[in-house]
Amino acid sequence: METVDIDEAFDAFEERWAPRLLASLNGQELKAAKLEGAFVWHSHPDADELFWVIEGDLTLELEGEPDQQLSDGELGVVPAGVEHRPVADGLAKVVLFEPAGTENTGDADAEDRKREVQTLED
């Protein structure tokens, strides 16, 4: 069994919007990401996406619904197919939980923002 120290995980990288794999289980992946600024509008047609804010503030803008504000220790789940855009006012350290292989840009045509999930050692 492997263990992960979440603080050490976030200290291991600086890049924004470039998720790092923390763990895999039952076809799902747990990823650490540092977010800052606004991402692209996108959806994941077949996958729910969990955002868990470890530190900072994150707004989940949701198409046709009120924005969701998340702060330290709070999490929210964007249901499959819901168009959304994460926006971090300042640096936010976030853990993501979603099916393995889920692209960070979902169905958006945003090649410049697409990132492969890396390990902490990358």
Side-chain angles (χ1 to χ4, degrees):
M1 183 176 125
E2 291 186 37
T3 61
V4 175
D5 180 301
I6 196 74
D7 292 325
E8 288 179 11
F10 280 109
D11 288 343
F13 67 98
E14 289 300 320
E15 298 86 358
R16 306 308 194 250
W17 304 103
R20 296 302 198 274
L21 184 64
L22 298 174
S24 297
L25 63 153
N26 302 317
Q28 301 283 316
E29 291 181 335
L30 194 66
K31 306 168 189 174
K34 290 182 177 180
L35 311 182
E36 192 167 12
F39 201 57
V40 296
W41 280 97
H42 66 285
S43 69
H44 305 280
D46 300 316
D48 297 335
E49 185 175 27
L50 183 144
F51 291 82
W52 179 11
V53 177
I54 303 302
E55 182 181 311
D57 296 302
L58 182 68
T59 300
L60 292 175
E61 296 179 349
L62 306 169
E63 182 70 29
E65 297 183 35
D67 294 350
Q68 299 297 307
Q69 307 290 328
L70 303 174
S71 295
D72 298 3
E74 295 181 323
L75 62 85
V77 176
V78 177
V82 172
E83 190 86 8
H84 62 284
R85 179 173 82 151
V87 179
D89 183 21
L91 177 63
K93 296 178 181 178
V94 176
V95 171
L96 305 167
F97 187 66
E98 57 199 1
T102 300
E103 292 188 2
N104 67 325
T105 55
D107 61 359
D109 183 20
E111 289 296 321
D112 61 322
R113 299 301 297 263
K114 191 174 288 190
R115 299 290 183 273
E116 295 294 323
V117 177
Q118 298 178 353
T119 66
L120 292 172
E121 293 78 32
D122 291 340

